[in-house]
Coordinates of all heavy atoms in Angstrom, one line a residue:
A22 N -129.5 83.2 91.8 CA -129.8 82.4 90.6 C -130.5 81.1 91.0 O -130.1 80.4 91.9 CB -128.5 82.1 89.9
I23 N -131.7 80.9 90.3 CA -132.4 79.7 90.6 C -132.6 78.9 89.3 O -133.0 79.4 88.3 CB -133.8 80.0 91.2 CG1 -133.7 80.9 92.5 CG2 -134.6 78.8 91.4 CD1 -135.0 81.3 93.1
L24 N -132.2 77.6 89.4 CA -132.3 76.7 88.3 C -133.4 75.7 88.6 O -133.2 74.9 89.5 CB -131.0 76.0 88.0 CG -129.8 76.9 87.5 CD1 -129.3 77.8 88.6 CD2 -128.8 76.0 87.0
N25 N -134.4 75.7 87.8 CA -135.5 74.6 87.9 C -135.0 73.5 86.9 O -135.2 73.6 85.7 CB -136.9 75.1 87.5 CG -137.9 74.1 87.7 OD1 -137.6 72.9 88.0 ND2 -139.2 74.4 87.6
K26 N -134.5 72.5 87.4 CA -133.9 71.4 86.6 C -135.0 70.2 86.5 O -134.7 69.2 85.9 CB -132.7 70.8 87.3 CG -131.6 71.9 87.4 CD -130.3 71.3 88.0 CE -130.5 71.1 89.5 NZ -129.3 70.6 90.1
D27 N -136.2 70.5 86.9 CA -137.3 69.5 86.7 C -137.8 69.6 85.3 O -138.0 70.7 84.8 CB -138.4 69.8 87.8 CG -139.2 68.6 88.0 OD1 -140.0 68.3 87.0 OD2 -139.2 68.0 89.1
A28 N -138.1 68.5 84.7 CA -138.6 68.5 83.3 C -140.1 68.7 83.2 O -140.5 69.1 82.2 CB -138.3 67.1 82.7
H29 N -140.8 68.6 84.3 CA -142.3 68.7 84.2 C -142.9 69.7 85.2 O -144.0 70.2 84.9 CB -142.9 67.3 84.4 CG -142.3 66.3 83.4 ND1 -142.6 66.3 82.1 CD2 -141.5 65.3 83.6 CE1 -141.9 65.3 81.5 NE2 -141.2 64.7 82.4
Q30 N -142.3 69.9 86.4 CA -143.0 70.7 87.4 C -142.4 72.1 87.5 O -141.2 72.3 87.5 CB -142.8 70.0 88.8 CG -143.4 68.6 88.9 CD -143.3 68.1 90.3 OE1 -144.0 68.6 91.2 NE2 -142.5 67.1 90.4
P31 N -143.3 73.1 87.6 CA -142.9 74.4 87.9 C -142.4 74.5 89.3 O -142.8 73.7 90.2 CB -144.1 75.3 87.6 CG -145.2 74.4 87.8 CD -144.8 73.0 87.4
L32 N -141.6 75.5 89.6 CA -141.1 75.8 91.0 C -141.7 77.0 91.5 O -141.6 78.1 90.9 CB -139.6 75.9 91.0 CG -138.9 76.3 92.3 CD1 -139.1 75.2 93.3 CD2 -137.5 76.6 92.1
N33 N -142.5 76.9 92.6 CA -143.0 78.1 93.3 C -142.0 78.7 94.2 O -141.4 77.9 95.0 CB -144.3 77.7 94.0 CG -145.4 77.2 93.1 OD1 -145.6 77.8 92.1 ND2 -146.1 76.2 93.5
I34 N -141.8 80.0 94.2 CA -140.9 80.6 95.0 C -141.5 81.8 95.8 O -142.5 82.3 95.3 CB -139.6 81.1 94.3 CG1 -140.0 82.2 93.2 CG2 -138.9 80.0 93.6 CD1 -138.8 82.9 92.6
D35 N -140.9 82.2 96.9 CA -141.4 83.3 97.7 C -140.2 84.1 98.1 O -139.6 83.8 99.2 CB -142.2 82.8 98.9 CG -142.8 83.9 99.7 OD1 -142.9 85.1 99.2 OD2 -143.2 83.7 100.8
L36 N -139.8 85.0 97.3 CA -138.7 85.9 97.6 C -139.1 87.4 97.5 O -138.9 88.0 96.5 CB -137.5 85.6 96.6 CG -136.7 84.4 96.9 CD1 -135.7 84.2 95.8 CD2 -136.0 84.5 98.2
P37 N -139.8 87.9 98.5 CA -140.2 89.3 98.4 C -139.0 90.2 98.3 O -137.9 89.9 98.8 CB -140.9 89.5 99.8 CG -140.7 88.3 100.6 CD -140.1 87.2 99.8
H38 N -139.2 91.3 97.6 CA -138.2 92.3 97.4 C -137.1 91.9 96.4 O -136.1 92.6 96.2 CB -137.5 92.7 98.7 CG -138.5 93.1 99.8 ND1 -139.3 94.2 99.7 CD2 -138.7 92.5 101.0 CE1 -140.0 94.2 100.8 NE2 -139.7 93.2 101.6
Y39 N -137.3 90.8 95.7 CA -136.4 90.4 94.6 C -137.1 90.6 93.3 O -138.2 90.0 93.1 CB -135.9 89.0 94.8 CG -134.7 88.9 95.8 CD1 -135.0 88.9 97.1 CD2 -133.4 88.8 95.3 CE1 -133.9 88.9 98.1 CE2 -132.4 88.7 96.2 CZ -132.6 88.8 97.6 OH -131.6 88.7 98.5
R40 N -136.5 91.3 92.4 CA -137.1 91.5 91.0 C -136.4 90.6 90.0 O -135.3 90.2 90.2 CB -137.0 93.0 90.6 CG -135.6 93.4 90.4 CD -135.5 94.9 89.9 NE -134.2 95.4 89.9 CZ -133.3 95.1 89.0 NH1 -133.6 94.4 87.9 NH2 -132.1 95.6 89.0
Q41 N -137.2 90.3 89.0 CA -136.8 89.3 88.0 C -135.7 89.9 87.1 O -135.8 91.1 86.7 CB -137.9 88.9 87.2 CG -137.6 87.8 86.1 CD -138.8 87.4 85.3 OE1 -139.9 87.7 85.6 NE2 -138.5 86.6 84.3
G42 N -134.7 89.2 86.9 CA -133.6 89.5 85.9 C -133.7 88.6 84.7 O -134.8 88.1 84.4

Side-chain angles (χ1 to χ4, degrees):
I23 301 177
L24 291 73
N25 183 353
K26 301 181 286 184
D27 199 292
H29 306 289
Q30 296 186 71
L32 174 65
N33 295 319
I34 61 170
D35 182 18
L36 283 174
H38 310 295
Y39 278 78
R40 63 179 173 80
Q41 182 179 353

